[in-house]
Every structure is written in C-alpha cells, then in structure tokens.
Amino acid sequence: MYVGRFAPSPTGPLHAGSLVAALASWLDARAHGGRWLVRIEDVDTPRCVPGADTLILQQLSACCLYPDEPPLWQSNRGGLYQQALDQLIAQDLAYSCSCSRKDIEATHTARGVLRVRGRELPYPGTCRPENNPTHRPDGRPARAWRFHTARAALRMPATAGACALENGIIKWHDRRLGAQQQNVESAVGDFILKRADGLWAYQLAVVVDDAAQSITHVVRGEDLADNTPRQILLQHALGVPTPAYLHTPLVLAKDGEKLSKQNGAEALDLTDPLRTLAQAAKHLNLRPPEDEDSLPDALARWVREWVEAGMGRLG
Ligand code: GLU
C-alpha cells in the first residue's frame, strides 16, 4: 500500500517552492491510489515561527490538499527518537561528541584542510571511540551524539533493495534524477543525531518518522536529494525499509538561488488558489486547467496526467 507524505518545517508559510513539493507528493499518492500524510517537522525549534504550522495547514486546505490522517508534529515525538538513538548506541553506531565548532575547525586547520565557502567540512572523527579509546565525557555538560558512518557502511549489505553499497559508496535511484551516489563518510562525515543543545537532528527524526508512519514513497524538493544517502545508511542501521524517492525540481528565485523562506520567498497568494496551484502544476510540466475547471476538477485532471506521464515525467 502506497503511503506518501509532505513534511514541511514550520519556519514560515508555504511559498511557491514548497507548494510544488506538496502538490507533487499529493498527486503521486493519488495517482498510486495511496494515502497522503502531513507531518510538521518542528524539531529545530529556534528556526520555527509560532503559528506557521497552522498557516501551512490552512494553505494546504485552501488548495484542497487534504491529508488522509490528522497531521503529526515532530516536537511530540522525542521519545521515539530517543529509542532510536539508544538502539544505535547499543549497536556502537552512535557516539557522544564534545567538539565545539572551533575545535573542529582547529583540527581541520592543523591537518591543512581548507574550508570551501558555504560548505561544511566533514566531521574529522576526533571523538570516534577508536580514535580516542580513553575518551570520557570531559566535564563539558553539553554533548552531541554522532552517527558512526564508517561502521554503519561496513555493516550495510552490498545490495539492499534498490540501493547498493560499493567501496563505501551508497548507490541509490531517484525516480526523476536517476542513478545517484555518495560516499557519506567522506562527503559529510559522522553527522549529528542529537545536538548538544538537546535538539533532535532532522536526519534521525525523518528516518524514524518515515518508518513509523510506514512511508513507502518520499516526494520532496531536489535540495534534499543529497540527504538521501545519509537517510539510507540510518535506515539500514535501524533495520527499517528504504522508501522510493522522487526529488522535484526547485523553484528558483530571481538571483538563481533556490527559492526559500530565507531569501525572502513571498507567502503564497491564495486569493485565487487555482491560479496559484496552476503555477505549481506548470513547474511539474502539467497542463494548465481548462476554463471551466473548479479546483477539484483541475486536481483530478492533473492526477490523470500524472498517471499517463508514468507517475510524473518531470523533465
Ligand atoms: N522538513 C523538510 C523541509 O521542509 C523536508 C523534509 C523531507 O521532506 O524529508 O525542508
């Protein structure tokens, strides 16, 4: 049974870019005769804007994109994330880390590794248990938890469903982008599962919830595509299935950057929801609505088109 989801972070209202992801995930679920869920990803509380969750749900309703179950809020689900972290600790796949950002930079500088602007360097592994056998919590109260990507990759089977592991490289298939690959250890390093300030990291929360909600198909914006190998590695470590992935084309701002709440994307104009949805549909290479179309008519037409195009040939 197909189960899809739309998982917005309530850092502001939906904008033209997030509506594309919402519409694509809804259409894909409907085209498969599946269920469509909405999950509010509010773990990064400092970035959340009070009331944005309610606003997002209202915007989805105004567009007739109704979830098949009441939405979930990740902020209520810390117990589940803790269970997953405990499991990873028990498997020696998570370790505590007391490095500050400065410590990490100093290690890179000492090794002569230069930071490329706008790109975070992989964690140098300072607190990995094998690098630091006598390592004990050093009295600094706040400690983060990191995922041991090298060990996790060693334990991942060479072929696992639609994914494969070859020389530490995870190979996976995206329904639009085709064959993808990444060596998680060298590209991103041992990423954070729980932050030193106690907040849960997106990677852990998304994997736990996709599994807990039995999500079979993830449809989301292309900016998240390079998170997928991290999530696949975590899924294997936790023994949960890997969904199928489809990453949708991004809506770019005038400066060519991805349209985002951060670069001032305007909130959706929902005085005429059909017109606004038609723009999102156009971005997905779907035809404009007919003159007489109501909003539900147009949505039904796009579902048919999505099926005919082989579940979205997004160009
Ligand atoms: N909450 C994430 C975002 O709004 C999306 C996560 C996902 O779809 O996996 O960017």
Side-chain angles (χ1 to χ4, degrees):
M1 169 66 170
Y2 181 113
V3 188
R5 55 38 163 210
F6 175 56
S9 303
T11 52
L14 293 182
H15 52 72
S18 36
L19 186 64
V20 168
L23 176 62
S25 66
W26 183 90
L27 285 172
D28 201 52
R30 290 291 170 263
H32 282 86
R35 300 172 66 70
W36 185 69
L37 312 181
V38 172
R39 183 170 73 224
I40 303 291
E41 300 210 314
D42 57 347
V43 277
D44 191 354
T45 38
R47 288 187 54 230
C48 293
V49 172
D53 49 356
T54 314
L55 206 58
I56 290 172
L57 296 174
Q58 284 167 354
Q59 290 176 305
L60 291 172
S61 300
C63 294
C64 290
L65 304 178
Y66 303 112
D68 294 314
E69 282 175 22
L72 287 186
W73 273 256
Q74 287 191 322
S75 52
N76 297 330
R77 297 169 65 78
L80 271 186
Y81 310 145
Q82 187 62 52
Q83 268 177 28
L85 177 59
D86 289 343
Q87 180 185 335
L88 295 171
I89 295 170
Q91 299 175 136
D92 289 328
L93 290 176
Y95 61 89
S96 69
C97 169
S98 51
C99 294
S100 65
R101 210 173 269 271
K102 270 206 172 123
D103 297 332
I104 296 174
E105 264 170 36
T107 308
H108 282 305
T109 311
R111 292 182 187 173
V113 182
L114 289 180
R115 205 169 102 91
V116 182
R117 248 186 87 204
R119 265 203 158 263
E120 203 153 324
L121 283 168
Y123 177 65
T126 322
C127 289
R128 271 191 180 175
E130 67 272 27
N131 293 344
N132 203 352
T134 56
H135 175 65
R136 294 277 176 277
D138 60 2
R140 292 189 219 184
R143 281 181 298 139
W145 287 89
R146 289 187 182 271
F147 184 53
H148 200 311
T149 50
R151 269 188 202 161
L154 276 177
R155 293 186 200 171
M156 187 172 151
T159 50
C163 309
L165 183 84
E166 229 177 87
N167 301 325
I169 298 170
I170 293 192
K171 302 190 167 184
W172 60 284
H173 174 81
D174 180 87
R175 291 167 54 204
R176 169 173 158 259
L177 303 171
Q180 303 289 305
Q181 60 174 48
Q182 186 184 65
N183 181 325
V184 178
E185 188 190 4
S186 59
V188 285
D190 292 353
F191 54 89
I192 300 249
L193 301 167
K194 189 179 192 181
R195 291 170 23 172
D197 56 11
L199 294 182
W200 293 102
Y202 158 67
Q203 308 294 349
L204 182 70
V206 80
V207 165
V208 167
D209 283 339
D210 282 342
Q213 295 189 281
S214 305
I215 301 298
T216 58
H217 290 70
V218 169
V219 179
R220 61 186 177 191
E222 193 178 327
D223 55 321
L224 291 162
D226 68 350
N227 288 254
T228 309
R230 268 171 274 180
Q231 294 170 16
I232 291 172
L233 209 49
L234 261 180
Q235 286 153 0
H236 280 280
L238 290 168
V240 300
T242 293
Y245 288 95
L246 167 60
H247 289 87
T248 55
L250 298 182
V251 177
L252 299 181
K254 284 198 187 77
D255 56 6
E257 290 291 311
K258 174 207 153 200
L259 191 64
S260 71
K261 294 158 195 166
Q262 283 71 33
N263 72 6
E266 282 169 38
L268 289 177
D269 176 7
L270 287 171
T271 45
D272 183 355
L274 179 54
R275 216 175 124 237
T276 306
L277 263 182
Q279 279 165 4
K282 186 169 173 223
H283 202 72
L284 295 166
N285 280 344
L286 298 165
R287 280 192 287 275
E290 311 263 305
D291 283 346
E292 305 298 309
D293 273 353
S294 65
L295 192 47
D297 292 338
L299 285 168
R301 192 185 298 283
W302 289 324
V303 171
R304 286 195 296 276
E305 217 182 315
W306 195 269
V307 173
E308 281 155 20
M311 305 300 175
R313 214 171 294 127
L314 299 171

